[in-house]
Amino acid sequence: MEFQFQFQPLTGYGVAKVLDSGHPNFKKGDLIWGTTGWEEYSVITELEGLFKIQHTDVPLSYYTGILGMPGLSAYVGFYEVCSPKKGEYVFISAASGAVGQLVGQFAKLMGCYVVGSAGSKEKVDLLKRKFGFDDAFNYKEETDLDAALKRYFPEGIDIYFENVGGKMLDAVLLNMKDHGRISVSGLVSQYNLDQPEGVQNLMCLIYKRIHMKGFLSLITMTFIPSSWM
Ligand SMILES: NC(=O)c1ccc[n+]([C@@H]2O[C@H](COP(=O)([O-])OP(=O)(O)OC[C@H]3O[C@@H](n4cnc5c(N)ncnc54)[C@H](OP(=O)(O)O)[C@@H]3O)[C@@H](O)[C@H]2O)c1
């Protein structure tokens, strides 16, 4: 039996320089950020999700971080969805990821108390030592997530920035304060399951009058399967 493979480069967020263009909005020499191929040279025909770089007085790598999709998602998901106030208690899951680490730093700038969860000792150290989180824990070492959250938030959580879903969301719901806010950025623990897990503690949304809202930064939409839209 003969197999035929067709290889295509991965796509992701990147920065690129235009070498040639048939489009009036892009000319040779322009720098762009957005959805690009993980390859040295690309032919880009899909221009949705591609932005011209206007400011080059910052490192170009910022356009894949703070000035790109992670920064946009962290900004909108934290400030617009959560309406944070000084002194509030903030919990972030997947906190060392591209989005989570920025949310944590925004929350510290607001004067919040910030705790993050991550999946290794190195990531936990990074959160506490480099990104200025007040505390952090390795969720893989916790047998009881509810008990862990009670340890880190004895007075409860005002704001939860949700990146993972599943068991973490269930434990967080039990530990939210009245009128807390949950910003649903992602549910990474569920993406590759054949059957997504159910959430048990949704009743907390009612009793605690919690505001829980999803959001989508426009550029992320280029990656969403059409069956989810
Ligand atoms: N709504 C939007 O517009 C928008 C935009 C961008 C991203 N997102 C979503 O936001 C979330 C974070 O994005 P990101 O770019 O920061 O991701 P990232 O940098 O790729 O980090 C993702 C992290 O999630 C953790 N993770 C992976 N599988 C997990 C599992 N089964 N359970 C718990 N944690 C798991 C891993 O960290 P650990 O080792 O610490 O577990 C991983 O490094 C994702 O869900 C993403 O889909 C949404």
Side-chain angles (χ1 to χ4, degrees), residues 107-125:
K108 283 312 298 171
L109 287 172
M110 281 296 297
C112 298
Y113 181 82
V114 185
V115 177
S117 63
S120 71
K121 181 184 178 309
E122 290 74 17
K123 290 180 178 184
V124 167
D125 286 346

Side-chain angles (χ1 to χ4, degrees), residues 28-200:
K28 187 177 172 181
D30 281 349
L31 292 166
I32 53 112
W33 74 271
T35 312
T36 58
W38 285 35
E39 55 191 347
E40 207 167 344
Y41 299 98
S42 295
V43 176
I44 299 179
T45 51
E46 190 54 64
L47 297 181
E48 198 183 349
L50 214 57
F51 304 89
K52 207 187 290 196
I53 292 177
Q54 310 286 2
H55 302 281
T56 51
D57 52 345
V58 292
L60 290 177
S61 60
Y62 282 17
Y63 289 92
T64 60
I66 182 77
L67 297 178
M69 180 280 292
L72 189 61
S73 306
Y75 187 92
V76 170
F78 183 60
Y79 290 110
E80 301 287 324
V81 177
C82 300
S83 307
K85 291 188 275 304
K86 186 176 177 189
E88 288 193 314
Y89 291 87
V90 176
F91 176 55
I92 303 160
S93 54
S96 71
V99 179
Q101 61 178 258
L102 293 174
V103 175
Q105 291 173 82
F106 289 160
K108 283 312 298 171
L109 287 172
M110 281 296 297
C112 298
Y113 181 82
V114 185
V115 177
S117 63
S120 71
K121 181 184 178 309
E122 290 74 17
K123 290 180 178 184
V124 167
D125 286 346
L126 197 67
L127 292 175
K128 292 199 279 192
R129 300 215 176 113
K130 185 164 182 191
F131 298 132
F133 283 52
D134 294 288
D135 221 330
F137 64 91
N138 181 348
Y139 67 94
K140 291 179 181 166
E141 288 177 350
E142 301 290 343
T143 48
D144 182 344
L145 289 174
D146 176 29
L149 290 171
K150 286 192 165 51
R151 212 163 66 232
Y152 288 96
F153 295 99
E155 294 176 42
I157 299 167
D158 292 294
I159 290 173
Y160 174 45
F161 196 93
E162 167 69 295
N163 283 317
V164 303
K167 291 181 180 57
M168 186 62 91
L169 174 58
D170 255 327
V172 167
L173 283 167
L174 297 174
N175 288 279
M176 291 298 292
K177 286 196 201 179
D178 287 355
H179 303 288
R181 284 86 72 205
I182 300 179
S183 179
V184 186
S185 169
L187 301 172
V188 69
S189 74
Q190 306 296 298
Y191 295 161
N192 295 322
L193 300 181
D194 292 334
Q195 189 67 44
E197 294 168 321
V199 182
Q200 306 293 319

Side-chain angles (χ1 to χ4, degrees), residues 1-7:
M1 190 185 291
E2 192 181 319
F3 291 103
Q4 285 203 329
F5 295 103
Q6 203 182 1
F7 294 105

Side-chain angles (χ1 to χ4, degrees), residues 182-218:
I182 300 179
S183 179
V184 186
S185 169
L187 301 172
V188 69
S189 74
Q190 306 296 298
Y191 295 161
N192 295 322
L193 300 181
D194 292 334
Q195 189 67 44
E197 294 168 321
V199 182
Q200 306 293 319
N201 298 323
L202 283 178
M203 202 76 90
C204 296
L205 294 179
I206 304 169
Y207 298 146
K208 300 181 183 189
R209 286 139 291 160
I210 293 166
H211 173 89
M212 182 169 175
K213 189 174 191 301
F215 68 91
L216 206 49
S217 58
L218 187 62

